[in-house]
Short mmCIF file of all heavy atoms in Angstrom, two decimals:
data_model
loop_
_atom_site.label_atom_id
_atom_site.label_comp_id
_atom_site.label_asym_id
_atom_site.label_seq_id
_atom_site.Cartn_x
_atom_site.Cartn_y
_atom_site.Cartn_z
N ALA A 664 -11.34 0.54 8.23
CA ALA A 664 -10.09 0.16 8.90
C ALA A 664 -9.01 -0.03 7.85
O ALA A 664 -9.31 -0.35 6.70
CB ALA A 664 -10.30 -1.14 9.67
N GLU A 665 -7.78 0.13 8.28
CA GLU A 665 -6.67 -0.07 7.35
C GLU A 665 -6.69 -1.47 6.76
O GLU A 665 -6.38 -1.67 5.59
CB GLU A 665 -5.35 0.19 8.06
CG GLU A 665 -4.75 1.52 7.63
CD GLU A 665 -3.42 1.78 8.28
OE1 GLU A 665 -2.48 1.02 8.00
OE2 GLU A 665 -3.34 2.73 9.08
N LEU A 666 -7.05 -2.44 7.60
CA LEU A 666 -7.10 -3.82 7.10
C LEU A 666 -8.20 -3.99 6.07
O LEU A 666 -8.06 -4.75 5.11
CB LEU A 666 -7.32 -4.79 8.26
CG LEU A 666 -6.05 -5.19 9.01
CD1 LEU A 666 -6.41 -6.02 10.25
CD2 LEU A 666 -5.11 -5.97 8.10
N MET A 667 -9.30 -3.27 6.28
CA MET A 667 -10.39 -3.30 5.29
C MET A 667 -9.88 -2.82 3.94
O MET A 667 -10.12 -3.43 2.90
CB MET A 667 -11.54 -2.42 5.79
CG MET A 667 -12.71 -2.31 4.83
SD MET A 667 -13.47 -3.90 4.48
CE MET A 667 -13.85 -3.72 2.75
N GLN A 668 -9.13 -1.71 3.98
CA GLN A 668 -8.57 -1.20 2.73
C GLN A 668 -7.58 -2.18 2.14
O GLN A 668 -7.54 -2.39 0.92
CB GLN A 668 -7.84 0.12 2.98
CG GLN A 668 -8.78 1.26 3.27
CD GLN A 668 -7.98 2.54 3.47
OE1 GLN A 668 -7.29 2.97 2.56
NE2 GLN A 668 -8.05 3.11 4.66
N ALA A 669 -6.78 -2.78 3.02
CA ALA A 669 -5.74 -3.69 2.52
C ALA A 669 -6.35 -4.87 1.77
O ALA A 669 -5.85 -5.28 0.72
CB ALA A 669 -4.89 -4.19 3.68
N ILE A 670 -7.46 -5.39 2.28
CA ILE A 670 -8.05 -6.55 1.61
C ILE A 670 -8.89 -6.14 0.41
O ILE A 670 -9.06 -6.89 -0.55
CB ILE A 670 -8.88 -7.42 2.60
CG1 ILE A 670 -9.15 -8.80 1.98
CG2 ILE A 670 -10.18 -6.73 3.02
CD1 ILE A 670 -9.71 -9.81 2.94
N ASN A 671 -9.34 -4.90 0.43
CA ASN A 671 -10.26 -4.43 -0.61
C ASN A 671 -9.56 -3.94 -1.87
O ASN A 671 -10.07 -4.06 -2.97
CB ASN A 671 -11.10 -3.28 -0.03
CG ASN A 671 -12.41 -3.12 -0.73
OD1 ASN A 671 -12.97 -4.08 -1.27
ND2 ASN A 671 -12.93 -1.90 -0.75
N VAL A 672 -8.38 -3.36 -1.70
CA VAL A 672 -7.72 -2.66 -2.79
C VAL A 672 -7.28 -3.62 -3.90
O VAL A 672 -6.79 -4.71 -3.63
CB VAL A 672 -6.52 -1.85 -2.25
CG1 VAL A 672 -5.39 -2.76 -1.79
CG2 VAL A 672 -6.02 -0.86 -3.28
N SER A 673 -7.53 -3.22 -5.16
CA SER A 673 -7.16 -4.09 -6.28
C SER A 673 -6.35 -3.36 -7.34
O SER A 673 -5.98 -3.95 -8.35
CB SER A 673 -8.42 -4.70 -6.91
OG SER A 673 -9.27 -3.66 -7.41
N ILE A 674 -6.05 -2.08 -7.09
CA ILE A 674 -5.37 -1.31 -8.13
C ILE A 674 -4.01 -1.92 -8.49
O ILE A 674 -3.58 -1.85 -9.64
CB ILE A 674 -5.22 0.20 -7.73
CG1 ILE A 674 -4.68 1.02 -8.90
CG2 ILE A 674 -4.35 0.36 -6.49
CD1 ILE A 674 -5.57 1.08 -10.11
N GLY A 675 -3.38 -2.56 -7.50
CA GLY A 675 -2.07 -3.19 -7.74
C GLY A 675 -2.09 -4.15 -8.91
O GLY A 675 -1.10 -4.28 -9.62
N PHE A 676 -3.21 -4.84 -9.10
CA PHE A 676 -3.27 -5.77 -10.23
C PHE A 676 -4.24 -5.34 -11.32
O PHE A 676 -3.98 -5.55 -12.50
CB PHE A 676 -3.55 -7.20 -9.78
CG PHE A 676 -4.76 -7.38 -8.88
CD1 PHE A 676 -6.02 -7.54 -9.41
CD2 PHE A 676 -4.61 -7.41 -7.49
CE1 PHE A 676 -7.12 -7.73 -8.59
CE2 PHE A 676 -5.71 -7.60 -6.66
CZ PHE A 676 -6.97 -7.76 -7.21
N ASP A 677 -5.35 -4.66 -10.96
CA ASP A 677 -6.30 -4.36 -12.05
C ASP A 677 -5.90 -3.13 -12.86
O ASP A 677 -6.57 -2.77 -13.82
CB ASP A 677 -7.76 -4.36 -11.57
CG ASP A 677 -8.12 -3.24 -10.60
OD1 ASP A 677 -7.37 -2.26 -10.54
OD2 ASP A 677 -9.16 -3.37 -9.93
N LYS A 678 -4.76 -2.51 -12.50
CA LYS A 678 -4.24 -1.43 -13.36
C LYS A 678 -3.98 -1.97 -14.77
O LYS A 678 -3.95 -1.20 -15.73
CB LYS A 678 -2.98 -0.81 -12.76
CG LYS A 678 -1.84 -1.77 -12.56
CD LYS A 678 -0.53 -1.06 -12.22
CE LYS A 678 -0.57 -0.33 -10.88
NZ LYS A 678 0.79 -0.15 -10.31
N ARG A 679 -3.81 -3.28 -14.88
CA ARG A 679 -3.59 -3.85 -16.21
C ARG A 679 -4.79 -3.70 -17.12
O ARG A 679 -4.71 -3.94 -18.32
CB ARG A 679 -3.24 -5.34 -16.09
CG ARG A 679 -1.80 -5.56 -15.74
CD ARG A 679 -1.44 -7.01 -15.71
NE ARG A 679 -1.30 -7.60 -17.04
CZ ARG A 679 -0.72 -8.77 -17.24
NH1 ARG A 679 -0.23 -9.45 -16.23
NH2 ARG A 679 -0.63 -9.26 -18.46
N LEU A 680 -5.93 -3.32 -16.54
CA LEU A 680 -7.15 -3.14 -17.35
C LEU A 680 -7.33 -1.71 -17.84
O LEU A 680 -8.39 -1.35 -18.33
CB LEU A 680 -8.38 -3.56 -16.53
CG LEU A 680 -8.49 -5.02 -16.12
CD1 LEU A 680 -9.70 -5.23 -15.21
CD2 LEU A 680 -8.59 -5.93 -17.34
N TRP A 681 -6.29 -0.88 -17.72
CA TRP A 681 -6.53 0.54 -17.98
C TRP A 681 -6.98 0.82 -19.41
O TRP A 681 -7.88 1.63 -19.63
CB TRP A 681 -5.35 1.41 -17.57
CG TRP A 681 -4.07 1.31 -18.37
CD1 TRP A 681 -2.95 0.62 -18.01
CD2 TRP A 681 -3.76 1.95 -19.61
NE1 TRP A 681 -1.97 0.77 -18.96
CE2 TRP A 681 -2.43 1.58 -19.96
CE3 TRP A 681 -4.46 2.78 -20.49
CZ2 TRP A 681 -1.80 2.02 -21.12
CZ3 TRP A 681 -3.82 3.22 -21.66
CH2 TRP A 681 -2.52 2.84 -21.96
N ALA A 682 -6.37 0.15 -20.36
CA ALA A 682 -6.74 0.44 -21.77
C ALA A 682 -8.19 0.02 -22.03
O ALA A 682 -8.96 0.72 -22.70
CB ALA A 682 -5.80 -0.29 -22.72
N GLN A 683 -8.58 -1.12 -21.45
CA GLN A 683 -9.95 -1.60 -21.61
C GLN A 683 -10.92 -0.67 -20.88
O GLN A 683 -12.03 -0.42 -21.37
CB GLN A 683 -10.08 -3.03 -21.05
CG GLN A 683 -9.37 -4.11 -21.85
CD GLN A 683 -7.86 -4.14 -21.66
OE1 GLN A 683 -7.30 -3.51 -20.76
NE2 GLN A 683 -7.17 -4.87 -22.52
N ASP A 684 -10.50 -0.19 -19.72
CA ASP A 684 -11.39 0.69 -18.95
C ASP A 684 -11.64 2.00 -19.72
O ASP A 684 -12.77 2.49 -19.77
CB ASP A 684 -10.79 0.98 -17.57
CG ASP A 684 -11.85 1.49 -16.61
OD1 ASP A 684 -12.70 0.67 -16.19
OD2 ASP A 684 -11.86 2.70 -16.31
N LEU A 685 -10.60 2.51 -20.34
CA LEU A 685 -10.76 3.74 -21.13
C LEU A 685 -11.65 3.48 -22.35
O LEU A 685 -12.53 4.29 -22.67
CB LEU A 685 -9.39 4.25 -21.60
CG LEU A 685 -8.55 4.96 -20.54
CD1 LEU A 685 -7.17 5.30 -21.10
CD2 LEU A 685 -9.24 6.23 -20.05
N ALA A 686 -11.44 2.35 -22.99
CA ALA A 686 -12.26 2.03 -24.18
C ALA A 686 -13.73 1.95 -23.77
O ALA A 686 -14.61 2.49 -24.46
CB ALA A 686 -11.79 0.72 -24.80
N GLY A 687 -13.99 1.28 -22.65
CA GLY A 687 -15.37 1.14 -22.18
C GLY A 687 -15.97 2.50 -21.83
O GLY A 687 -17.13 2.78 -22.17
N SER A 688 -15.17 3.34 -21.17
CA SER A 688 -15.68 4.66 -20.77
C SER A 688 -15.97 5.53 -21.98
O SER A 688 -16.95 6.28 -22.01
CB SER A 688 -14.66 5.37 -19.86
OG SER A 688 -14.69 4.76 -18.59
N ARG A 689 -15.11 5.45 -22.98
CA ARG A 689 -15.34 6.25 -24.19
C ARG A 689 -16.62 5.81 -24.89
O ARG A 689 -17.43 6.64 -25.29
CB ARG A 689 -14.17 6.06 -25.15
CG ARG A 689 -12.96 6.84 -24.77
CD ARG A 689 -11.97 6.81 -25.93
NE ARG A 689 -10.89 7.73 -25.66
CZ ARG A 689 -9.61 7.36 -25.49
NH1 ARG A 689 -9.27 6.09 -25.60
NH2 ARG A 689 -8.70 8.27 -25.24
N ALA A 690 -16.76 4.51 -25.04
CA ALA A 690 -17.95 3.99 -25.71
C ALA A 690 -19.21 4.43 -24.95
O ALA A 690 -20.21 4.85 -25.54
CB ALA A 690 -17.89 2.47 -25.80
N HIS A 691 -19.12 4.35 -23.62
CA HIS A 691 -20.26 4.71 -22.78
C HIS A 691 -20.56 6.20 -22.91
O HIS A 691 -21.73 6.60 -23.10
CB HIS A 691 -19.95 4.34 -21.32
CG HIS A 691 -21.08 4.55 -20.36
ND1 HIS A 691 -22.26 3.83 -20.43
CD2 HIS A 691 -21.21 5.43 -19.31
CE1 HIS A 691 -23.08 4.26 -19.46
NE2 HIS A 691 -22.47 5.22 -18.78
N ALA A 692 -19.51 7.04 -22.85
CA ALA A 692 -19.71 8.49 -22.92
C ALA A 692 -20.33 8.89 -24.26
O ALA A 692 -21.27 9.70 -24.31
CB ALA A 692 -18.37 9.21 -22.71
N ARG A 693 -19.82 8.30 -25.35
CA ARG A 693 -20.36 8.65 -26.68
C ARG A 693 -21.83 8.25 -26.79
O ARG A 693 -22.64 8.98 -27.37
CB ARG A 693 -19.54 7.95 -27.78
CG ARG A 693 -18.14 8.52 -27.88
CD ARG A 693 -17.47 8.21 -29.23
NE ARG A 693 -16.11 8.78 -29.19
CZ ARG A 693 -15.01 8.04 -29.00
NH1 ARG A 693 -15.09 6.73 -28.89
NH2 ARG A 693 -13.83 8.64 -28.93
N MET A 694 -22.14 7.10 -26.21
CA MET A 694 -23.53 6.65 -26.25
C MET A 694 -24.42 7.59 -25.41
O MET A 694 -25.53 7.96 -25.84
CB MET A 694 -23.61 5.20 -25.75
CG MET A 694 -24.98 4.56 -25.77
SD MET A 694 -25.97 5.00 -24.33
CE MET A 694 -25.06 4.20 -23.02
#
Side-chain angles (χ1 to χ4, degrees):
E665 254 182 65
L666 277 173
M667 177 61 218
Q668 289 182 61
I670 195 169
N671 205 28
V672 69
S673 60
I674 188 63
F676 52 86
D677 67 18
K678 60 169 66 156
R679 279 184 76 165
L680 295 175
W681 69 259
Q683 290 77 13
D684 198 72
L685 284 175
S688 286
R689 283 191 171 116
H691 184 65
R693 291 200 181 103
M694 181 278 294

